Amino acid sequence: MAASSSIPKDHSAAIEHTDRGPLTADELAALIARDIPAGSYVNLGIGQPTRVADHLGPSSGVVLHTENGMLGMGPAAAGEQVDPDLINAGKLPVTELPGAAYFHHADSFAMMRGGHLDVCVLGAFQVSVTGDLANWHTGERDAIPAVGGAMDLAIGAKDVYVMMTLFTKDGAPKVVPACTYPLTGVRCVTRIYTDLAVLDVTPHGVVARQTFGASIAELQARLNITMDTP
Amino acid sequence: MAASSSIPKDHSAAIEHTDRGPLTADELAALIARDIPAGSYVNLGIGQPTRVADHLGPSSGVVLHTENGMLGMGPAAAGEQVDPDLINAGKLPVTELPGAAYFHHADSFAMMRGGHLDVCVLGAFQVSVTGDLANWHTGERDAIPAVGGAMDLAIGAKDVYVMMTLFTKDGAPKVVPACTYPLTGVRCVTRIYTDLAVLDVTPHGVVARQTFGASIAELQARLNITMDTP
Amino acid sequence: MSRALVLDTADEAVAGIEDGSTVLVGGFGLAGMPFDLIDALIRQGADDLTIVSNNAGNGTVGLAALLEAGRVRKVICSFPRQTDSYVFDGLYRAGKVALEVVPQGTLAERLRAAGAGIGAFFCPTGVGTPLAEGKETRVLGGRTFVLEYPISGDVALISAFKGDTLGNLVYRKTARNFGPVMATAARTVVAQVNEVVPAGSLDPEAVITPSIYVDRLVAVPARRYIVEGAR
Amino acid sequence: MSRALVLDTADEAVAGIEDGSTVLVGGFGLAGMPFDLIDALIRQGADDLTIVSNNAGNGTVGLAALLEAGRVRKVICSFPRQTDSYVFDGLYRAGKVALEVVPQGTLAERLRAAGAGIGAFFCPTGVGTPLAEGKETRVLGGRTFVLEYPISGDVALISAFKGDTLGNLVYRKTARNFGPVMATAARTVVAQVNEVVPAGSLDPEAVITPSIYVDRLVAVPARRYIVEGAR
């Protein structure tokens, strides 16, 4: 796995990192990559989660799944490597690693739905304290609904990590008592990675693993939820 | 398709062939082979139906399916050709024809159940006048039940042909008003090929296409069923 | 189905498609999209179509061109909204095309069910979301499932890499996507391929769509691909 | 599952299988039967097993040997009765082993359902027969279907042709049979192969069981096959 010098190595020793500001998207991606167990089979959602791949070196032994029918997906393709028949879920050209395998859509989603992926990392509009996920539809009336593989991923992977900012640009909390946006999946998120905190979703509620640039007390107040510590 | 000089070529002209004795198993196999449309995808059941393959030459364009995961099955293997990894549903060594394809069991039976096979030819203990099939279990108390792919084939193929003798060795009819043996499938048989007659199963009952060595009237009397003519 | 017909042109391959048909169209974005068959379908003129496909067209080519020609009554797909789905977006907002959104894996599984003779299945995807509203649910082993039904087509239009003269198909990389499952789910299956090879040329262990599923086959010139930006 | 472990011996490959486990065993007759893993399982000693396999053993090898060793409580299969299934026949008639007979395609589909996260499915096979007695039925589109549930295993023992160091598998001819679907349906999947090759040696288009499904891999010497007489 990629070493990332900017993030404390010892999780248990320091939960509240109030001395360091919010994590950048890249720092957050590195943190997620470090938490993914070696040899895991992982699906990275469209958008921000794709960045996690940049921090998963070959030594991690992590095998990437793309919903459109491939295990062993490599980095983005460039120049001569670009092959229109080899794209990721975001429809961008990618590469193939040794030991890759291709399969059709029914098999690809059977793999997801059957619980064979160890981890998926998804973006989100909102996550509830019980692990409900809202990431496919803002609920606006004139929006064209488009779900893609989001619902399949949400209920399929053994661990569903969300990667997002903890607040919207307008300052509204994205970890909420109950989602107000249309749901993608019910009680499916296991961990929430944000710029300000990493939270586990447990049967007893949300538990703070780490905070960055803010204390647990501050975040509880801003989010208006209670937060345990491990 | 194989030419068979011993069987009248013109079905419509002569339904009752009372001048010729019951068909041999080989003559019956040849008759079935001649009735299978060119280019059909066909599954031949264990036992007698396997003989039909001997009368389907390459020019027939018929492609044989075997339930254990193959299209394009060729004749029985002999000598050096024998490969323990290449067997038919009866677990006998077979060969592979150009254009063959292998697939796993779920795919093989999806092909059957999904109605993609044009014809299957099955043996039977009994067939009812409504097309119910009994071919997997004699109903004896101490018999070990074993169904294999019989039920899947019975309900899956577009046309289900039965190949059998019309009477048991003891003289009991095998085409019956209602099956007394446990069923394999309900209203699934479309045509019955026997040594004494070829019968279509229609919504209006059994219709004699041809008889051999017996008149329709004789057979109706022995079977105790009514039989239409086309 | 009997042995596939190898045809000379895409126009022959799509002949006879009727108004009001449900047409399964392979592809994920542009990969595996049967461009030549869609272009031929536009020329052929069938109207009032229901299209089942993962997306609802990109740019002005393929499905987007069919939509723009006004031939599509309804789209059943998982992800219509893309950066370059402006043709669909415009028609949808103008109320000129109906839309049924299905989670991608459920779409694939409903097509498989049609091909595999499954009457319906209990699926965990979408439970508790707007896409499961009004659907029958059942708790099995402590988990809630929603009952989903097969989707079959009158016709499937797919794109593969090579086909042999019997109709066996192989695909290339992620362009495989919906092709194999759609090939099982339609009454008439039409495949465009880069090359038709003699029966016996493809490795029987590597055939992805066995010939039984393919009715018509046509070789087309190298594909006029463009690579999109982000989804 | 994480990357497959390549082990040196079949004994290591079956280590830890517990009494009372449900074990999925690949093969159709002798083709694809994981002989070495079964022999190792006999040495390993797990007892009170439920075996899911197409047949119930041939002669005195493989599954028949496991049955003869008295380790099997129940067999779930489609076709126990064969010309050389005398070991099973004797145990069954003596009341020493339970039997659940499942139509072959339903067996395959129930295993697939377990692997694909499907909660249950409506199947047309067996309707109106003794094997559907007591099962829930439903009429869909004018046809009657019977509700069937997934079959999953604690362990799957399968045989493939080659495996790579990640766990990707390819099979050979009709020895493929139940291997790929069983590999999706068990918590721990153990594969014996004729050869383990480096990752990257197998054609990614021709991989049948992707590595995600395989937990343990062992290369075994060429198989001790015998070819049976008729079924």
Side-chain angles (χ1 to χ4, degrees), chain A residues 156-178:
Chain A
K158 288 179 196 138
D159 276 306
V160 175
Y161 293 174
V162 160
M163 177 183 184
M164 64 179 189
T165 55
L166 188 53
F167 296 92
T168 66
K169 282 174 193 166
D170 301 334
K174 293 168 75 174
V175 174
V176 294

Short mmCIF file of all heavy atoms in Angstrom, two decimals, chain A residues 156-178:
data_model
loop_
_atom_site.label_atom_id
_atom_site.label_comp_id
_atom_site.label_asym_id
_atom_site.label_seq_id
_atom_site.Cartn_x
_atom_site.Cartn_y
_atom_site.Cartn_z
N GLY A 156 -24.39 -4.79 -2.02
CA GLY A 156 -23.68 -6.00 -2.39
C GLY A 156 -22.35 -6.23 -1.68
O GLY A 156 -22.04 -7.35 -1.31
N ALA A 157 -21.56 -5.17 -1.49
CA ALA A 157 -20.21 -5.38 -0.96
C ALA A 157 -20.25 -5.69 0.53
O ALA A 157 -21.16 -5.27 1.24
CB ALA A 157 -19.36 -4.14 -1.23
N LYS A 158 -19.26 -6.46 1.00
CA LYS A 158 -19.21 -6.78 2.43
C LYS A 158 -19.05 -5.50 3.25
O LYS A 158 -19.70 -5.35 4.29
CB LYS A 158 -18.03 -7.72 2.70
CG LYS A 158 -18.28 -9.13 2.19
CD LYS A 158 -17.08 -10.04 2.43
CE LYS A 158 -17.18 -11.29 1.58
NZ LYS A 158 -15.90 -11.66 0.98
N ASP A 159 -18.17 -4.61 2.81
CA ASP A 159 -18.02 -3.31 3.46
C ASP A 159 -18.28 -2.21 2.45
O ASP A 159 -17.69 -2.22 1.37
CB ASP A 159 -16.61 -3.15 4.03
CG ASP A 159 -16.48 -3.79 5.40
OD1 ASP A 159 -17.29 -3.45 6.28
OD2 ASP A 159 -15.59 -4.64 5.58
N VAL A 160 -19.17 -1.31 2.81
CA VAL A 160 -19.47 -0.17 1.96
C VAL A 160 -18.91 1.07 2.64
O VAL A 160 -19.36 1.47 3.71
CB VAL A 160 -20.98 -0.02 1.72
CG1 VAL A 160 -21.28 1.25 0.94
CG2 VAL A 160 -21.54 -1.24 0.99
N TYR A 161 -17.87 1.62 2.01
CA TYR A 161 -17.26 2.85 2.52
C TYR A 161 -17.84 4.01 1.72
O TYR A 161 -17.90 3.96 0.49
CB TYR A 161 -15.74 2.85 2.31
CG TYR A 161 -14.96 1.83 3.11
CD1 TYR A 161 -13.60 1.68 2.89
CD2 TYR A 161 -15.56 1.02 4.08
CE1 TYR A 161 -12.84 0.76 3.60
CE2 TYR A 161 -14.82 0.08 4.79
CZ TYR A 161 -13.46 -0.05 4.53
OH TYR A 161 -12.72 -0.97 5.23
N VAL A 162 -18.20 5.06 2.41
CA VAL A 162 -18.58 6.29 1.73
C VAL A 162 -17.42 7.27 1.81
O VAL A 162 -16.76 7.38 2.84
CB VAL A 162 -19.86 6.90 2.33
CG1 VAL A 162 -20.01 8.37 1.98
CG2 VAL A 162 -21.07 6.12 1.82
N MET A 163 -17.17 7.96 0.70
CA MET A 163 -16.12 8.98 0.64
C MET A 163 -16.79 10.29 0.23
O MET A 163 -17.35 10.37 -0.87
CB MET A 163 -15.07 8.58 -0.38
CG MET A 163 -13.95 9.60 -0.58
SD MET A 163 -12.83 9.02 -1.89
CE MET A 163 -11.59 10.32 -1.83
N MET A 164 -16.75 11.29 1.12
CA MET A 164 -17.43 12.55 0.79
C MET A 164 -16.92 13.64 1.72
O MET A 164 -16.14 13.39 2.63
CB MET A 164 -18.95 12.38 0.96
CG MET A 164 -19.39 12.09 2.38
SD MET A 164 -21.21 11.91 2.54
CE MET A 164 -21.36 11.86 4.34
N THR A 165 -17.37 14.88 1.50
CA THR A 165 -17.14 15.91 2.49
C THR A 165 -18.21 15.75 3.57
O THR A 165 -19.28 15.20 3.32
CB THR A 165 -17.27 17.31 1.86
OG1 THR A 165 -18.56 17.42 1.23
CG2 THR A 165 -16.18 17.55 0.82
N LEU A 166 -17.90 16.21 4.77
CA LEU A 166 -18.87 16.01 5.86
C LEU A 166 -20.02 17.01 5.77
O LEU A 166 -21.12 16.75 6.26
CB LEU A 166 -18.17 16.12 7.22
CG LEU A 166 -18.98 15.75 8.46
CD1 LEU A 166 -19.61 14.37 8.34
CD2 LEU A 166 -18.10 15.82 9.71
N PHE A 167 -19.76 18.14 5.11
CA PHE A 167 -20.80 19.15 4.95
C PHE A 167 -20.90 19.56 3.47
O PHE A 167 -19.91 19.48 2.74
CB PHE A 167 -20.48 20.40 5.80
CG PHE A 167 -20.49 20.10 7.27
CD1 PHE A 167 -19.31 19.73 7.92
CD2 PHE A 167 -21.66 20.16 8.01
CE1 PHE A 167 -19.31 19.42 9.28
CE2 PHE A 167 -21.67 19.87 9.37
CZ PHE A 167 -20.49 19.49 10.00
N THR A 168 -22.07 20.01 3.07
CA THR A 168 -22.22 20.54 1.71
C THR A 168 -21.52 21.90 1.64
O THR A 168 -21.11 22.46 2.66
CB THR A 168 -23.71 20.74 1.35
OG1 THR A 168 -24.23 21.78 2.20
CG2 THR A 168 -24.52 19.47 1.55
N LYS A 169 -21.43 22.42 0.43
CA LYS A 169 -20.83 23.74 0.26
C LYS A 169 -21.58 24.79 1.06
O LYS A 169 -21.03 25.78 1.50
CB LYS A 169 -20.82 24.13 -1.23
CG LYS A 169 -19.70 23.42 -1.99
CD LYS A 169 -19.77 23.67 -3.47
CE LYS A 169 -18.85 22.72 -4.23
NZ LYS A 169 -19.10 22.70 -5.67
N ASP A 170 -22.88 24.54 1.23
CA ASP A 170 -23.70 25.47 1.99
C ASP A 170 -23.64 25.22 3.50
O ASP A 170 -24.34 25.87 4.27
CB ASP A 170 -25.17 25.40 1.55
CG ASP A 170 -25.33 25.71 0.08
OD1 ASP A 170 -24.46 26.44 -0.45
OD2 ASP A 170 -26.29 25.23 -0.53
N GLY A 171 -22.84 24.26 3.90
CA GLY A 171 -22.68 24.00 5.33
C GLY A 171 -23.68 23.01 5.91
O GLY A 171 -23.70 22.79 7.13
N ALA A 172 -24.51 22.40 5.08
CA ALA A 172 -25.48 21.42 5.60
C ALA A 172 -24.79 20.09 5.87
O ALA A 172 -23.97 19.65 5.06
CB ALA A 172 -26.62 21.23 4.60
N PRO A 173 -25.12 19.46 6.99
CA PRO A 173 -24.50 18.16 7.30
C PRO A 173 -24.88 17.11 6.27
O PRO A 173 -26.02 17.09 5.78
CB PRO A 173 -25.11 17.78 8.66
CG PRO A 173 -25.67 19.05 9.22
CD PRO A 173 -26.06 19.90 8.05
N LYS A 174 -23.94 16.22 5.96
CA LYS A 174 -24.23 15.11 5.05
C LYS A 174 -24.34 13.79 5.82
O LYS A 174 -24.77 12.79 5.27
CB LYS A 174 -23.16 15.05 3.96
CG LYS A 174 -23.25 16.27 3.02
CD LYS A 174 -22.05 16.40 2.10
CE LYS A 174 -22.08 15.40 0.97
NZ LYS A 174 -20.95 15.66 0.01
N VAL A 175 -23.90 13.79 7.08
CA VAL A 175 -24.24 12.67 7.96
C VAL A 175 -25.43 13.16 8.79
O VAL A 175 -25.34 14.18 9.47
CB VAL A 175 -23.07 12.28 8.88
CG1 VAL A 175 -23.50 11.22 9.90
CG2 VAL A 175 -21.91 11.76 8.04
N VAL A 176 -26.54 12.46 8.68
CA VAL A 176 -27.81 12.99 9.18
C VAL A 176 -28.57 11.92 9.99
O VAL A 176 -28.32 10.72 9.82
CB VAL A 176 -28.71 13.45 8.00
CG1 VAL A 176 -28.09 14.64 7.28
CG2 VAL A 176 -28.93 12.30 7.00
N PRO A 177 -29.47 12.37 10.84
CA PRO A 177 -30.28 11.38 11.58
C PRO A 177 -31.09 10.48 10.63
O PRO A 177 -31.20 9.29 10.86
CB PRO A 177 -31.21 12.25 12.42
CG PRO A 177 -30.51 13.57 12.53
CD PRO A 177 -29.77 13.75 11.24
N ALA A 178 -31.62 11.07 9.57
CA ALA A 178 -32.35 10.29 8.57
C ALA A 178 -32.21 11.01 7.23
O ALA A 178 -32.29 12.24 7.17
CB ALA A 178 -33.82 10.15 8.94
#
